[in-house]
């Protein structure tokens, strides 16, 4: 899933429209993926290797018989050192093979637990908010709408004043609109719909003041 130029224009226009009724500032960021999940790939590879070790420990006779068949029959019983060396080589090969296989991002994402993907998306959103929006408005009224395409996860992160005035559950409708559109292959439309809902909430709590200036960019940012 990729954003098109029309998506950028749609979201930028939605931010500009939403901010006409509020002193709040909305920043929109879309990431292709929130994390590379390299640690998850390593854990799966290690799990595969130790599963093999566990199977050999549980069924040693079967393992030796399998080796015997693969070798076409032993000329003499193998020494324990030989068996151990073979086992370690096979474990290493299995580890490397599984790790290489999980270099394919769709498979790795499919094998990554949902709660972990949510936590990684949240962490990335918070990091980006700290860099691009936190305390960069005079009244501490910045809001980040973050979408991670690969994970189909979205986050709303708010600055101090908004966090104090608006309960987190208030953003539920904005998040629902966004995720529904993403699942339908319309990320730009989803972002625009969410921005409109965020603007409505901000307008209730932080109406536009006289002389208010645009402190953060309206354009959609891709990272």
């Amino acid at each position: 899933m990729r954003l098109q130029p029309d998506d950028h224009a749609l979201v930028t226009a939605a931010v500009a429209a939403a901010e006409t009724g509020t002193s709040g500032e909305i920043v929109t960021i879309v990431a292709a993926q929130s994390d590379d999940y390299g640690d998850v790939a390593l854990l799966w590879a290690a799990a595969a290797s130790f599963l093999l070790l566990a199977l050999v420990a549980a069924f040693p006779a079967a393992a030796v018989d399998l080796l015997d068949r693969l070798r076409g029959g032993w000329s003499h019983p193998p020494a324990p050192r030989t068996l151990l060396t073979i086992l370690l080589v096979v474990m290493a090969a299995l580890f490397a093979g599984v790790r290489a296989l999980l270099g394919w991002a769709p498979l790795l994402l499919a094998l990554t637990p949902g709660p972990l993907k949510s936590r990684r998306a949240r962490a990335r959103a918070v990091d980006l908010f700290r860099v691009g929006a936190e305390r960069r408005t005079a009244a501490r009224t910045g809001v980040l709408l973050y979408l991670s395409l690969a994970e189909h996860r979205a986050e709303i992160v708010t600055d101090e004043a908004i966090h104090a005035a608006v309960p987190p559950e208030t953003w539920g409708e904005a998040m629902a609109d966004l995720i529904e559109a993403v699942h339908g292959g319309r990320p730009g439309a989803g972002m625009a719909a969410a921005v409109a809902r965020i603007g409505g909430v901000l307008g209730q709590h932080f109406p536009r003041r006289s002389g208010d200036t645009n402190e953060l960019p309206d354009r959609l940012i891709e990272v």
Side-chain angles (χ1 to χ4, degrees):
M1 187 185 305
R2 296 178 61 87
L3 291 174
Q4 304 300 320
D6 288 348
D7 292 320
H8 281 262
L10 181 63
V11 176
T12 299
V15 172
E19 291 181 353
T20 59
T22 178
S23 61
E25 294 285 334
I26 303 171
V27 176
T28 54
I29 298 180
V30 173
Q33 191 167 312
S34 290
D35 192 86
D36 65 5
Y37 301 101
D39 57 331
V40 177
L42 289 174
L43 285 172
W44 276 111
S49 295
F50 281 105
L51 176 60
L52 173 63
L53 179 61
L55 289 173
V56 171
F59 308 101
V64 172
D65 182 60
L66 176 61
L67 284 175
D68 184 53
R69 293 181 183 181
L70 292 175
R71 289 286 302 269
W74 299 100
S75 57
H76 53 79
R81 178 180 297 179
T82 300
L83 292 175
L84 180 59
T85 300
I86 293 173
L87 176 59
L88 291 175
V89 169
V90 174
M91 287 179 62
L94 180 61
F95 180 94
V98 172
R99 181 62 186 87
L101 185 63
L102 292 179
W104 187 44
L107 178 59
L108 178 55
L109 281 170
L111 293 175
T112 300
L116 179 60
K117 288 189 282 191
S118 296
R119 288 195 297 271
R120 297 285 170 89
R122 178 67 183 180
R124 183 78 190 283
V126 170
D127 287 344
L128 291 171
F129 175 75
R130 287 171 176 166
V131 172
E134 186 176 30
R135 300 187 178 184
R136 294 186 63 183
T137 60
R140 305 292 190 265
T141 54
V143 179
L144 169 64
L145 175 62
Y146 173 78
L147 171 63
S148 190
L149 293 173
E151 292 91 344
H152 285 191
R153 297 297 196 275
E155 294 288 341
I156 294 176
V157 187
T158 63
D159 219 332
E160 297 170 5
I162 297 175
H163 182 73
V166 182
E169 57 269 19
T170 305
W171 310 114
E173 291 182 347
M175 297 292 284
D177 286 348
L178 175 52
I179 295 300
E180 180 181 359
V182 170
H183 281 293
R186 300 176 292 108
M191 291 285 285
V195 164
R197 291 212 182 256
I198 292 170
V201 172
L202 293 178
Q204 297 174 18
H205 296 273
F206 303 93
R208 190 175 181 87
R209 303 184 305 267
S210 176
D212 187 76
T213 60
N214 192 14
E215 297 173 278
L216 296 175
D218 294 344
R219 65 182 178 85
L220 174 62
I221 301 169
E222 284 194 81
V223 296

